[in-house]
Amino acid sequence: HGLDAFSTKQVSGYAGEWCKRISRMVYRSAKSVICVSEKVRDQVLEGAAAPVSTTVIYNGVDPQMFAPSKDEAACGVILSVGNLIPTKGHELLMRAFAAVHPQFPDSSCEIVGDGVELSRLRRLATELNVEDKVRFLGRRSRSQVADAMRRCAVFALPSKYEGLGCVYLEAMSSEKPVIACRGQGIEEIIHHRSNGWLIDPDNLQELTDALISLLKDEELRHQLGDAARQTILQGFTFADQAEQLARLYRECSG
């Protein structure tokens, strides 16, 4: 899924290097290494430093659990779901939200997740004068996340290191316009302004512009959301993933 392949970027020092060495041993001994994106495959091949058999099988999502609501989404709710760690880009999102909020005074930002960044992000919300418009919801069950996705108008997670990112697929399945970063695994599924929105990592202006474009244009939100849902149904469900995994397991055991 990427954590092992990007170990030295996720964990610094000896621990990261140790994980890298162990991962290399596993890659070289496996009949096939299943990667959730081409980005992860490239990283695996680079880390293995030797010929390795790899297969890309994208993650799937439950399209029944993560399904669009019949009710109109809450106007102006920006949702983000992810562990509160620096690489997920929550600080960037909050700064972009603070920039657009004066133009959309009824907008709000909901953040699902927990982690080491929580206290700092709470302080940042106060510094940006949006503490009453940003809700830190903590950890939530999958069904609660699905409910939150049905309620929101836009999903945004400007993460810098994502092998793929299941939450993007879940938001897409929920028929929401998704904002993600270029250079990550999700770029292989999201096509800019076709079935989602892509920005450069750490680019505050691009994220701000994306939020403005989506919050002010309901038709564009529906257009991207509809296309996102169709993308999931056409190849990124649990059934699609299971079929590909079963096929590969049979090949490896033959």
Side-chain angles (χ1 to χ4, degrees):
H1 283 232
L3 181 59
D4 45 1
F6 294 93
S7 56
T8 54
K9 295 179 181 178
Q10 299 280 352
V11 181
S12 60
Y14 175 80
E17 289 298 329
W18 179 85
C19 184
K20 182 178 179 179
R21 290 197 299 273
I22 297 300
S23 297
R24 181 177 293 169
M25 288 171 40
V26 173
Y27 299 155
R28 292 178 176 181
S29 63
K31 279 195 172 183
S32 184
V33 180
I34 303 172
C35 306
V36 296
S37 66
E38 294 289 348
K39 180 178 177 62
V40 171
R41 192 213 306 252
D42 291 344
Q43 196 72 22
V44 165
L45 293 174
E46 179 182 328
V52 172
S53 173
T54 58
T55 303
V56 172
I57 298 178
Y58 293 103
N59 288 329
V61 61
D62 181 349
Q64 277 72 51
M65 173 176 283
F66 292 93
S69 173
K70 296 179 181 178
D71 301 323
E72 187 64 27
C75 182
V77 174
I78 301 163
L79 175 69
S80 190
V81 179
N83 293 328
L84 304 186
I85 56 177
T87 58
K88 294 293 184 179
H90 292 106
E91 177 180 345
L92 188 75
L93 176 59
M94 289 179 59
R95 292 187 182 282
F97 172 68
V100 306
H101 184 256
Q103 186 174 340
F104 303 95
D106 293 331
S107 63
S108 62
C109 182
E110 296 184 355
I111 299 176
V112 173
D114 199 2
V116 296
E117 287 279 278
L118 178 58
S119 296
R120 192 176 72 84
L121 291 173
R122 286 189 184 278
R123 291 195 300 271
L124 179 62
T126 300
E127 293 169 10
L128 296 172
N129 296 315
V130 291
E131 67 272 18
D132 60 335
K133 291 293 185 176
V134 177
R135 297 180 62 209
F136 294 95
L137 303 179
R139 295 191 184 279
R140 289 289 187 268
S141 67
R142 301 316 299 155
S143 61
Q144 289 173 318
V145 170
D147 288 339
M149 288 183 172
R150 277 188 284 272
R151 289 197 316 271
C152 76
V154 177
F155 180 87
L157 183 65
S159 180
K160 293 184 288 187
Y161 294 114
E162 290 291 336
L164 182 63
C166 289
V167 289
Y168 298 121
L169 303 183
E170 291 166 353
M172 292 173 72
S173 184
S174 303
E175 216 168 74
K176 300 302 177 181
V178 171
I179 302 175
C181 287
R182 297 184 181 94
Q184 313 309 306
I186 194 62
E187 185 181 31
E188 297 164 29
I189 297 173
I190 289 180
H191 303 289
H192 183 55
R193 293 192 68 118
S194 176
N195 63 350
W197 201 287
L198 296 172
I199 64 168
D200 289 331
D202 289 322
N203 194 313
L204 177 59
Q205 189 60 57
E206 282 195 14
L207 180 54
T208 301
D209 291 344
L211 291 175
I212 291 173
S213 296
L214 291 169
L215 289 176
K216 74 178 183 181
D217 193 336
E218 182 179 356
E219 184 178 345
L220 177 60
R221 294 200 303 272
H222 286 311
Q223 174 189 324
L224 296 182
D226 289 344
R229 171 78 174 174
Q230 290 306 309
T231 297
I232 297 301
L233 296 179
Q234 292 169 12
F236 298 96
T237 67
F238 278 160
D240 296 312
Q241 183 186 24
E243 181 181 351
Q244 295 174 65
L245 287 170
R247 185 185 308 120
L248 179 61
Y249 292 158
R250 286 194 293 267
E251 292 173 357
C252 288
S253 62

